[in-house]
Amino acid sequence: MKLVFCGTPEFAVGTLEAVIAAGHDVVLAVTQPDRAAGRGMEMQCSPVKRAAMAHGIAIMQPEKIRINVELRERLERLRPDVIVVVAYGRILPPWMLELPRLGCINLHGSLLPKYRGAAPVQWAVANGDAMTGVTTMRLDQGMDTGEMLLVREVRIETDEMAPGVLRRLATAGAQLMVDTLAGLTAGTLVGRKQDEAQATLAPILTREDGEIDFARTARQIYDRWRGFQPWPGAHTTLRGKNLIVHHMRVSSESGIEAGVLQVADEGMTVGCAGCSSVVFDEVQMEGKRRMSAAEFLRGFQVKSGERLGV
């Protein structure tokens, strides 16, 4: 089929490569504009742009798409059978949804209708889910509310972090999109409406999501740290200064008051809800470099009984 591909991050690259390998004709890649990033704030292009360039695919990078005459005229001339959308980062306007013969087909990183929104993988890990997956769907004007086409489940390992889950979902999703396009070509796919009663949201992450709440259990705190990698991570306060926790684990210790630090064997154990506790293995005090817990305790003379998060 003749395809237009809309995507931006690394998560989308595998799908672009897969549909090309499957023999589809990708006539245009639409991706986010180049952005300044890194310490030097140099202009960097998206992973999808780099992949499209490697394949000699035409590229457009509109800042806005809702009212964009140039984009609309280009797509109307191309008349794609399908517009494939994978983590593009823009909501498609009605005119774009109606343009392709077989619709705009989106790959979403969850088992819809669960985790609609911008950060489905991160929230699935943060909530301690044992299972997630990928769903292909025909986009409509809602937020991930369109008819589902195909679904594939993926297990989340107990100690797996969000970036690892994301990579595995990208691989599963690439094949799922190829299967979806094959079904559309054959006319064998029938869309299924989502059960609105089962819908949940996965909103965009904020820095506040990474703030450790010791009223949660140790497992809940640990799961949120796993899910919110690489950002916003996990952070609290010590002596009125921000303390970033780069690595933690659930402890077998019990009976420590929630939010209170216990120092033993060059380790930092903190009480949580339900008589549980977590161990901080690597931390970083505001304005300082990251260091092991043992090094941190020696350098800052931290004592048992100090309280975090106040």
Side-chain angles (χ1 to χ4, degrees):
M1 289 191 290
K2 183 191 289 186
L3 305 180
V4 167
F5 188 91
C6 297
T8 299
E10 191 65 39
F11 179 78
V13 171
T15 301
L16 175 58
E17 298 282 0
V19 298
I20 293 170
H24 297 288
D25 182 17
V26 181
V27 294
L28 178 68
V30 183
T31 188
Q32 294 277 354
D34 296 354
R35 306 290 189 196
R39 289 188 175 182
M41 295 302 289
E42 295 180 357
M43 297 299 290
Q44 297 184 14
C45 63
S46 74
V48 164
K49 180 179 178 178
R50 290 195 295 270
M53 291 171 63
H55 286 280
I57 298 170
I59 298 164
M60 289 190 73
Q61 298 177 269
E63 190 70 52
K64 298 180 179 180
I65 62 173
R66 182 165 293 276
I67 303 174
N68 188 313
V69 175
E70 181 185 4
L71 176 64
R72 184 167 186 169
E73 289 179 348
R74 182 84 170 269
L75 293 179
E76 287 174 346
R77 286 197 305 271
L78 291 171
R79 299 188 63 82
D81 298 305
V82 170
I83 295 177
V84 173
V85 184
V86 186
Y88 172 44
R90 289 281 189 272
I91 296 175
L92 303 193
W95 67 261
M96 200 165 170
L97 297 175
E98 297 165 2
L99 191 146
R101 178 172 64 89
L102 295 173
C104 296
I105 308 302
N106 175 240
L107 175 68
H108 187 73
S110 80
L111 300 173
L112 289 172
K114 195 171 186 181
Y115 297 126
R116 294 173 176 171
V121 180
Q122 292 89 334
W123 283 108
V125 177
N127 288 335
D129 291 4
M131 194 69 67
T132 185
V134 281
T135 304
T136 52
M137 55 174 288
R138 184 173 280 110
L139 286 173
D140 60 15
Q141 294 187 47
M143 174 65 76
D144 300 323
T145 56
E147 289 187 336
M148 298 185 298
L149 298 170
L150 292 179
V151 176
R152 186 159 297 159
E153 293 186 338
V154 174
R155 178 169 293 280
I156 301 175
E157 302 301 330
T158 305
D159 295 315
E160 194 172 16
M161 296 188 190
V165 179
L166 198 65
R167 285 191 293 269
R168 293 197 295 116
L169 287 178
T171 301
Q175 184 58 52
L176 193 69
M177 182 61 76
V178 170
D179 295 345
T180 300
L181 294 177
L184 292 173
T185 301
T188 57
L189 273 186
V190 178
R192 295 180 293 116
K193 288 187 177 181
Q194 297 185 37
D195 182 355
E196 292 297 324
Q198 300 299 316
T200 63
L201 297 179
I204 191 169
L205 297 174
T206 67
R207 186 182 182 280
E208 287 69 31
D209 290 318
E211 185 173 349
I212 300 173
D213 180 359
F214 294 102
R216 293 187 170 98
T217 67
R219 184 71 217 189
Q220 290 171 332
I221 291 170
Y222 176 69
D223 287 341
R224 288 174 70 90
W225 170 72
R226 291 190 302 128
F228 298 153
Q229 297 296 325
W231 188 88
H235 57 89
T236 184
T237 55
L238 173 63
R239 300 172 181 171
K241 293 187 176 181
N242 191 49
L243 181 71
I244 300 170
V245 183
H246 288 291
H247 193 277
M248 71 168 71
R249 53 192 162 90
V250 177
S251 171
S252 59
E253 293 288 329
S254 61
I256 306 172
E257 184 182 349
V260 172
L261 179 66
Q262 179 174 292
V263 177
D265 300 325
E266 296 190 326
M268 299 173 65
T269 304
V270 187
C272 310
C275 296
S276 60
S277 61
V278 291
V279 176
F280 292 168
D281 292 313
E282 188 176 10
V283 296
Q284 182 176 4
M285 183 68 96
E286 179 181 332
K288 304 296 182 180
R289 62 177 177 85
R290 59 192 292 175
M291 58 188 72
S292 68
E295 187 180 6
F296 178 80
L297 292 173
R298 289 193 299 271
F300 287 86
Q301 298 296 303
V302 178
K303 305 295 183 183
S304 292
E306 294 198 59
R307 188 174 292 275
L308 302 178
V310 294

